[in-house]
Amino acid sequence: KAGVTQTPRYLIKTRGQQVTLSCSPISGHRSVSWYQQTPGQGLQFLFEYFSETQRNKGNFPGRFSGRQFSNSRSEMNVSTLELGDSALYLCASSLSSSGANVLTFGAGSRLTVL
Amino acid sequence: QQQVKQSPQSLIVQKGGISIINCAYENTAFDYFPWYQQFPGKGPALLIAIRPDVSEKKEGRFTISFNKSAKQFSLHIMDSQPGDSATYFCAASMRHSGAGSYQLTFGKGTKLSVIP
């Protein structure tokens, strides 16, 4: 069974640009969550999508957005990049059953903003 | 406000020793407490998890101890091996009201080094 696939794995952008990251969840998983990981702040929740709807959002500015497609694949976008956006962006998928969310993470997309 | 506090930041243990990582939480609405293990270049992977109605859970060499009244939980790694060297994150989850969504709040992580 394939795991969570994130592309691209590495990318370098300059301030003011925008970036789109992609996530393919485990087959059958309908919930996709995004987290930002930095050395200083650790892992912080960005947002969660289920059935193409954003169900939950963390405390990030509006420059961070996402969407989910009918096949459960998800993308996140960061506009007007800032140096502080340099981070590992992790996508996680889950079955989103009635119990606690057991997340399976991808390897992440490492974004460097110059 | 950091809702899950994790200590220590780093830990060095001899092979065969016991590694202990502690976490404390503030929000009593949390109802699920997982631990994740992350190796360099990889995403976090679920190691073991516990619910607050249980005081201890053991899976192989890994044990979670949970103290609901103190709002603390800890991970014990028995017979630590060099292959256990990784960063460990505790987390807490609660249901996002009305939306059926769960959100994980992570501790800052503990970098464990097991030396031969």
Side-chain angles (χ1 to χ4, degrees), chain A residues 4 9 11 17 22 31 50 55 69 73 76 90 108 113:
Chain A
V4 177
R9 289 292 314 277
L11 66 167
Q17 286 187 312
S22 179
S31 170
F50 180 79
R55 291 201 299 190
F69 302 95
R73 192 177 69 85
M76 68 163 283
L90 292 159
V113 182

Side-chain angles (χ1 to χ4, degrees), chain B residues 2 11 21 27 29 58 65 79-81 84 87 100 102 107-108:
Chain B
Q2 184 186 358
L11 181 61
I21 305 171
N27 192 336
K58 184 177 181 179
S65 297
D79 187 28
S80 298
Q81 299 297 313
D84 297 330
T87 300
Y102 289 85
K108 290 285 182 77

Side-chain angles (χ1 to χ4, degrees), chain A residues 35 37 48 55-56 99-100 106, chain B residues 38 43 51 99-104:
Chain A
Y35 287 79
Q37 184 174 21
E48 188 244 356
R55 291 201 299 190
N56 195 2
Chain B
Q38 186 177 28
R51 292 194 177 275
S101 170
Y102 289 85
Q103 170 182 332
L104 283 176

Side-chain angles (χ1 to χ4, degrees), chain B residues 22-74:
Chain B
N22 300 299
C23 284
Y25 64 97
E26 299 164 5
N27 192 336
T28 55
F30 288 137
D31 60 2
Y32 177 70
F33 301 87
W35 285 87
Y36 281 82
Q37 178 190 56
Q38 186 177 28
F39 292 103
K42 305 286 188 181
L46 179 64
L47 190 62
I48 187 172
I50 197 168
R51 292 194 177 275
D53 54 346
V54 176
S55 61
E56 184 175 284
K57 183 175 182 180
K58 184 177 181 179
E59 289 184 2
R61 296 185 294 108
F62 301 91
T63 300
I64 299 179
S65 297
F66 188 86
N67 186 328
K68 188 174 180 179
S69 61
K71 294 188 284 186
Q72 295 175 347
F73 58 111
S74 60

Side-chain angles (χ1 to χ4, degrees), chain A residues 18-45:
Chain A
Q18 73 167 12
V19 65
T20 299
L21 309 177
S22 179
C23 172
S24 294
I26 291 173
S27 178
H29 285 195
R30 298 171 63 190
S31 170
V32 173
S33 301
W34 288 88
Y35 287 79
Q36 181 195 63
Q37 184 174 21
T38 59
Q41 298 299 316
L43 284 144
Q44 292 187 289
F45 173 75

